Amino acid sequence: MRDRTHPTPKRLARSARPRSTNSRRYLAWIVLLAALLPVLLAWQGLIEQRQLIADRQFDLLSQEIREAIDERLHDHEQILLGGAGLFDASETVSRQEWHTYVERLRLTENYPGILGVGYSQLVRADQLAAHVAAVRAEGFPDYRLKPPGERALYTAIVYLEPFSGRNLAAFGYDMFSQEIRRAAMQAAVDTDATTISGKVRLVQETHGREQAGFLMYVPIYRPGLPLDTAAERWAALRGFVYSPYRVDDLMAGILGKRSLAIDFRIYDGEGTDPDALMYDSAEQHDPNPNPSHTGLQRIQAYGRTWTLNLYSRPGFAAETDLATIWLVLGLGIGISLALFAVTRLLLDRRAQALALAEEMTARRQESEERFRSVFLHLGQGVVIHDAEGRILDANPAAQRILGATLEQMRELTSIDSLWQVVREDGRAFSTSDYPVIQALRLGAPVTGVVMGIRHARATPWRWVQVDAYPRQDASGAGVYQVYAVFTDITARRQAEFALRDQSQHTQAILDNVIDGIVTAGPDGTVISFNPAAERIFGYTAAEVVGGNLSMLMPEPYRSGHDGYMSHHLRTGDKRVIGVTRELKGRRQDGTVFPMELAVSRIERSGRPFFIGMIRDITERKQLERMKSELISTVSHELRTPVTSIRGALGLVVGRYAETLPEKARTMLEMAERNSARLTLLIDDILDLEKIASGRMHFDLHPTDLAALARQALEANEGYARQLQVQLSGRVELERAPVLADDNRMLQVFANLISNAVKYSPQGGEVQIGLRRHAQGFRALVEDQGPGIPESFKDHIFQRFAQADSSDSREKGGTGLGLSITKAILERHHGCIGYTSRAGGGTTFYFDLPEWSEDRADSPAPTNEDDPNPRSTP
């Protein structure tokens, strides 16, 4: 019998078929999961990469904002340093000169956000009245210092350009009276560096929305005074060049119209105290309550620390999203599904084949659409040519650049007469040199071809850079298309032409200027040598360029030149930078000649370079020497006969005055007075000639200026009694040690006292004073005379200058006394000045530095020293 409990083979086959089908179904899903796993891992990695990119983008934007602020502050410092240089180069800078300087800067165009550039003059308490009177005399009758009150030191804003609008409110303001501003100004002098103030309310906040403000200061000093210590700089301080800033306006000028993906706040100081907030970029819109990125940056801004609190805007995350993330995810899923589909294809070939064909068709259409989109929106021009060079298609950028529509270009070749084409040098292109023709002939890319092209119906030329890429057919038998891709470089070429014209213009100026111009590198190597320099030195440019500047100098300048250059580059010592001085030059034939040299320094690519302006002053020196010799000869030849005439007249008047007729006696006395006056004139001329030629001897030694003042008071009492004027002393010091020549200082006192007595009324009083002043002493001679006329104040220290220069003037004198006095004081490292008002008397004063034992080793001025002129108030 058959065992019915075991299935037959046919039943086994039928029962195994469903199990095999289920296994194949499970296998397809396993393949899908295996393909999706690396896709998900890659997607997660890209998400992390996106976060890293977002972090880097935030850091870059933060650094960009910080660097933009740093760069603008540096640019503004250069403006102030230029203004300081203007004061250093001139004893006085007028209001018009300051206006011209600032106007040339074109602040609104070049430095948007800066409120102005000004000059604040240092005024001490005893100079206040004279300062106010001087500014009012310039045409500002209502001028006064603000805020009112008595202070030991004032810094009055006298220049501020543009001098209009808000800036008018700052005119006459004493910035030293306010604590925050004063701290910045003191730090600028103490450190001898540019500083900015803390957060302040500007006096220009007169209308509109109020903004936080700050100020930048650069100290300027009277030239020639020592500046090594803070005390010396305070003693030499002249004032400050400064700029006020409204922070919102400044940030608008720095950031311009750029679209920021992050916001930031600026705080004055290390922290983020709300009271220290100076600027908030989110003030015009709602701030992001939950920023994805935040950060702190600190700017060390000229003695101040600014804290930047930066945070992302709501759209920042969207800007940093990477399309690649979703593309990878989409492609990964697609590939996984494709694998799943391939696996299912093994299960069902017909259905899977149809699905695969549909998917490939869709991808091809997508690829073609993507290519067409790029072709239409690409910024570069693309023209497609066939194997004969005829134009098949051109994208909109190509049509715009070439000045023709696709309908006008289709079926034409690139060498058609529709266009005029030239090379960079203006020569026409030959047919065989066209990039498309070359690519067709060679079967290889032709790149970087520059050509000028103009459509027959268009006027302007367009300059393009063309790359031609051939496309081989599938069999490789030949080229069937050429893609011509070109970039519009018209703007770049126009800039190159403008730069070339400017270079030619500048070179023409250098070639025709009458002064020699020599440029040199930091090691003294000559870089350029203009034709005027060739005429002055006798060298050709080829003989000098590449050599050392010392070849143009005689000894001892030649030996010391390289040492001075290295000393300047190492220490920054600027003894000759920015000033004009006289020295000797050496021509090719070995002759030595006098010349004027002005040296300036520029920075190029981070390296210093020097420009020397040279003028041959041989003829001028010969004329000056002839003039000095003539004056000396005439003066010496006149002294002997004049002395004899004066002695003879004195003898006649003394012995025979009683026996002579009244008219004769009057004439003899007049002749005696005029001969005495002529003797004084000759002596003064000789003194000036000695000072100018360096032959006047100065016996400089430590002496007591207080004792000299008392001695001068006694020596001039007799002269004062003759004119019925009383002399009185107000010497406040027991001792006043200075380094001076006693006789020359007595001559200075005599000149000032005799002038004061001469111009004082009968019964008037002349007071001689001495007190401590800054780092030395100040001597004063005060009279009760009529004062100095306004028209004469600018000429008072000039030679032969007299307020009344007519032949009938009441007061005698040579007009040389004050000029000699000023020259003597300058040789003592001193300076002279005066205060005067019409009808109120005049006070002349001079300052000398104090001498002490610890300065005894410093070199003293000698007869050979080059006088160092000081500013005269």
Side-chain angles (χ1 to χ4, degrees), residues 20-36:
S20 176
T21 301
N22 291 335
S23 298
R24 287 195 293 270
R25 290 176 180 175
Y26 291 141
L27 179 62
W29 287 104
I30 291 173
V31 170
L32 177 61
L33 292 176
L36 285 176

Side-chain angles (χ1 to χ4, degrees), residues 509-770:
I509 294 175
L510 293 176
D511 289 344
N512 294 281
V513 70
I514 63 172
D515 289 336
I517 301 177
V518 182
T519 61
D523 58 352
T525 301
V526 178
I527 299 174
S528 66
F529 201 71
N530 76 332
E534 293 180 336
R535 293 191 298 271
I536 292 173
F537 289 97
Y539 289 100
T540 64
E543 294 172 323
V544 178
V545 172
N548 194 278
L549 278 173
S550 60
M551 67 187 295
L552 307 176
M553 306 173 183
E555 294 294 351
Y557 306 106
R558 179 194 294 262
S559 301
H561 175 262
D562 290 341
Y564 172 72
M565 291 289 289
S566 62
H567 173 76
H568 165 71
L569 295 172
R570 186 176 64 256
T571 65
D573 183 6
K574 297 182 179 180
R575 284 179 294 173
V576 300
I577 303 299
V579 298
T580 301
R581 61 184 303 217
E582 294 183 6
L583 67 162
K584 302 294 185 181
R586 182 181 180 274
R587 295 189 174 93
Q588 185 184 31
D589 59 8
T591 58
V592 177
F593 66 97
M595 66 180 187
E596 277 186 348
L597 172 65
V599 180
S600 59
R601 171 176 169 164
I602 61 173
E603 298 285 337
R604 191 171 64 192
S605 301
R607 297 185 63 210
F609 290 86
F610 301 91
I611 302 174
M613 301 286 293
I614 300 163
R615 176 169 295 177
D616 187 347
I617 57 173
T618 302
E619 294 184 3
R620 191 179 78 190
K621 284 296 184 180
Q622 290 174 347
L623 291 175
E624 290 177 355
R625 184 169 59 253
M626 293 171 60
K627 182 188 69 174
S628 297
E629 291 175 354
L630 176 63
I631 292 174
S632 178
T633 300
V634 172
S635 300
H636 280 90
E637 292 298 326
L638 286 175
R639 172 179 282 180
T640 300
V642 168
T643 302
S644 300
I645 293 171
R646 182 183 178 188
L649 290 172
L651 183 62
V652 172
V653 173
R655 290 189 179 182
Y656 306 107
E658 298 299 330
T659 62
L660 292 173
E662 180 65 25
K663 186 174 182 180
R665 184 171 65 251
T666 301
M667 295 179 66
L668 286 173
E669 289 174 349
M670 182 185 303
E672 184 185 21
R673 287 195 301 271
N674 285 328
S675 64
R677 179 182 171 196
L678 185 57
T679 301
L680 291 175
L681 175 61
I682 294 171
D683 290 340
D684 286 346
I685 291 175
L686 289 175
D687 280 347
L688 279 177
E689 191 273 333
K690 289 178 182 178
I691 292 173
S693 62
R695 292 186 292 106
M696 176 172 279
H697 178 70
F698 287 86
D699 180 17
L700 300 176
H701 61 276
T703 188
D704 184 6
L705 186 60
L708 292 177
R710 297 185 185 97
Q711 184 178 348
L713 181 65
E714 295 175 359
N716 289 274
E717 281 183 345
Y719 177 69
R721 281 196 299 270
Q722 291 179 8
L723 298 182
Q724 300 180 25
V725 175
Q726 180 182 355
L727 291 183
S728 62
R730 291 190 301 175
V731 180
E732 302 173 2
L733 306 173
E734 290 295 329
R735 291 188 70 256
V738 296
L739 192 67
D741 183 322
D742 291 0
N743 292 329
R744 297 302 176 190
M745 292 312 302
L746 289 175
Q747 184 179 356
V748 168
F749 275 113
N751 283 341
L752 297 180
I753 294 172
S754 63
N755 276 350
V757 170
K758 187 188 332 179
Y759 287 98
S760 293
Q762 291 185 358
E765 181 183 13
V766 172
Q767 294 184 346
I768 293 87
L770 179 66

Side-chain angles (χ1 to χ4, degrees), residues 318-336:
E319 292 183 8
T320 56
D321 279 345
L322 294 177
T324 310
I325 297 175
W326 305 106
L327 180 62
V328 167
L329 182 62
L331 289 176
I333 293 175
I335 293 172
S336 300

Side-chain angles (χ1 to χ4, degrees), residues 24-235:
R24 287 195 293 270
R25 290 176 180 175
Y26 291 141
L27 179 62
W29 287 104
I30 291 173
V31 170
L32 177 61
L33 292 176
L36 285 176
L37 181 60
V39 171
L40 293 175
L41 292 176
W43 182 62
Q44 180 63 32
L46 288 175
I47 290 177
E48 295 175 358
Q49 183 182 14
R50 183 198 67 174
Q51 183 62 36
L52 179 60
I53 291 174
D55 293 343
R56 291 179 179 174
Q57 180 69 9
F58 182 83
D59 292 340
L60 286 174
L61 292 174
S62 301
Q63 187 67 19
E64 179 183 354
I65 292 172
R66 181 183 181 278
E67 290 176 354
I69 296 173
D70 271 338
E71 181 179 358
R72 180 56 62 87
L73 291 178
H74 176 72
D75 291 343
H76 290 177
E77 182 196 21
Q78 298 306 309
I79 293 174
L80 298 189
L81 291 176
L86 182 63
F87 276 91
D88 291 342
S90 176
E91 289 188 2
T92 59
V93 176
S94 67
R95 188 176 302 276
Q96 181 59 40
E97 290 171 336
W98 185 254
H99 170 76
T100 301
Y101 167 73
V102 178
E103 187 177 56
R104 288 295 298 273
L105 294 174
R106 294 190 291 182
L107 297 178
T108 304
E109 300 175 22
N110 299 326
Y111 306 96
I114 187 171
L115 192 55
V117 181
Y119 165 56
S120 176
Q121 180 178 346
L122 182 73
V123 180
R124 305 189 187 279
D126 58 343
Q127 300 171 339
L128 180 59
H131 166 75
V132 172
V135 176
R136 289 179 175 177
E138 291 181 27
F140 303 96
D142 297 327
Y143 173 81
R144 59 185 179 83
L145 259 68
K146 302 173 289 188
E150 296 183 357
R151 296 181 287 277
L153 196 65
Y154 304 82
T155 57
I157 298 176
V158 293
Y159 300 159
L160 182 56
E161 295 291 339
F163 193 54
S164 60
R166 295 178 180 270
N167 284 340
L168 296 178
F171 185 47
Y173 178 66
D174 175 15
M175 293 186 285
F176 213 68
S177 65
Q178 199 271 329
E179 181 181 358
I180 296 177
R181 293 174 172 86
R182 182 170 62 249
M185 297 166 83
Q186 289 174 335
V189 179
D190 290 342
T191 62
D192 195 21
T194 303
T195 61
I196 65 174
S197 71
K199 175 183 176 183
V200 298
R201 182 185 184 277
L202 298 176
V203 296
Q204 285 93 330
E205 292 294 347
T206 57
H207 58 277
R209 187 176 66 86
E210 183 172 326
Q211 301 179 20
F214 71 95
L215 304 103
M216 179 179 288
Y217 297 97
V218 171
I220 55 176
Y221 308 98
R222 296 194 303 274
L225 294 179
L227 304 173
D228 297 328
T229 66
E232 290 175 338
R233 290 192 290 273
W234 277 105

Side-chain angles (χ1 to χ4, degrees), residues 341-614:
V342 170
T343 305
R344 291 295 301 268
L345 178 64
L346 297 175
L347 304 175
D348 191 351
R349 293 182 179 180
R350 183 174 181 276
Q352 199 71 10
L354 292 175
L356 181 61
E358 292 175 358
E359 183 180 359
M360 292 179 62
T361 300
R363 289 186 179 181
R364 179 178 179 181
Q365 291 175 349
E366 181 183 0
S367 176
E368 290 177 351
E369 290 175 358
R370 185 181 299 110
F371 171 79
R372 190 64 184 173
S373 177
V374 172
F375 178 76
L376 293 176
H377 297 93
L378 188 66
Q380 293 175 295
V382 180
V383 178
I384 303 175
H385 301 74
D386 64 10
E388 302 299 326
R390 292 187 295 269
I391 296 174
L392 301 176
D393 201 355
N395 70 343
Q399 299 174 48
R400 173 179 51 81
I401 295 172
L402 297 177
T405 64
L406 179 60
E407 289 72 19
Q408 293 172 331
M409 292 188 287
R410 198 184 299 275
E411 297 300 322
L412 299 177
T413 65
S414 58
I415 60 175
D416 194 89
S417 59
L418 180 68
W419 295 286
Q420 293 177 276
V421 183
V422 296
R423 297 179 182 272
E424 290 185 89
D425 58 5
R427 294 183 294 113
F429 265 93
S430 63
T431 302
S432 60
D433 290 338
Y434 277 63
V436 172
I437 304 302
Q438 286 187 343
L440 285 170
R441 185 177 70 250
L442 301 175
V446 178
T447 60
V449 179
V450 176
M451 56 174 56
I453 188 167
R454 183 172 66 176
H455 188 269
R457 299 185 182 91
T459 302
W461 284 90
R462 309 294 294 182
W463 287 92
V464 295
Q465 181 171 307
V466 183
D467 299 330
Y469 300 98
R471 297 189 65 186
Q472 305 282 344
D473 58 20
S475 63
V479 176
Y480 76 95
Q481 278 186 349
V482 175
Y483 285 9
V485 181
F486 48 90
T487 304
D488 188 350
I489 60 171
T490 303
R492 190 185 77 188
R493 292 289 296 175
Q494 289 173 346
E496 291 174 355
F497 293 150
L499 181 61
R500 183 186 62 191
D501 293 343
Q502 180 63 36
S503 177
Q504 293 174 348
H505 177 72
T506 303
Q507 189 61 45
I509 294 175
L510 293 176
D511 289 344
N512 294 281
V513 70
I514 63 172
D515 289 336
I517 301 177
V518 182
T519 61
D523 58 352
T525 301
V526 178
I527 299 174
S528 66
F529 201 71
N530 76 332
E534 293 180 336
R535 293 191 298 271
I536 292 173
F537 289 97
Y539 289 100
T540 64
E543 294 172 323
V544 178
V545 172
N548 194 278
L549 278 173
S550 60
M551 67 187 295
L552 307 176
M553 306 173 183
E555 294 294 351
Y557 306 106
R558 179 194 294 262
S559 301
H561 175 262
D562 290 341
Y564 172 72
M565 291 289 289
S566 62
H567 173 76
H568 165 71
L569 295 172
R570 186 176 64 256
T571 65
D573 183 6
K574 297 182 179 180
R575 284 179 294 173
V576 300
I577 303 299
V579 298
T580 301
R581 61 184 303 217
E582 294 183 6
L583 67 162
K584 302 294 185 181
R586 182 181 180 274
R587 295 189 174 93
Q588 185 184 31
D589 59 8
T591 58
V592 177
F593 66 97
M595 66 180 187
E596 277 186 348
L597 172 65
V599 180
S600 59
R601 171 176 169 164
I602 61 173
E603 298 285 337
R604 191 171 64 192
S605 301
R607 297 185 63 210
F609 290 86
F610 301 91
I611 302 174
M613 301 286 293
I614 300 163

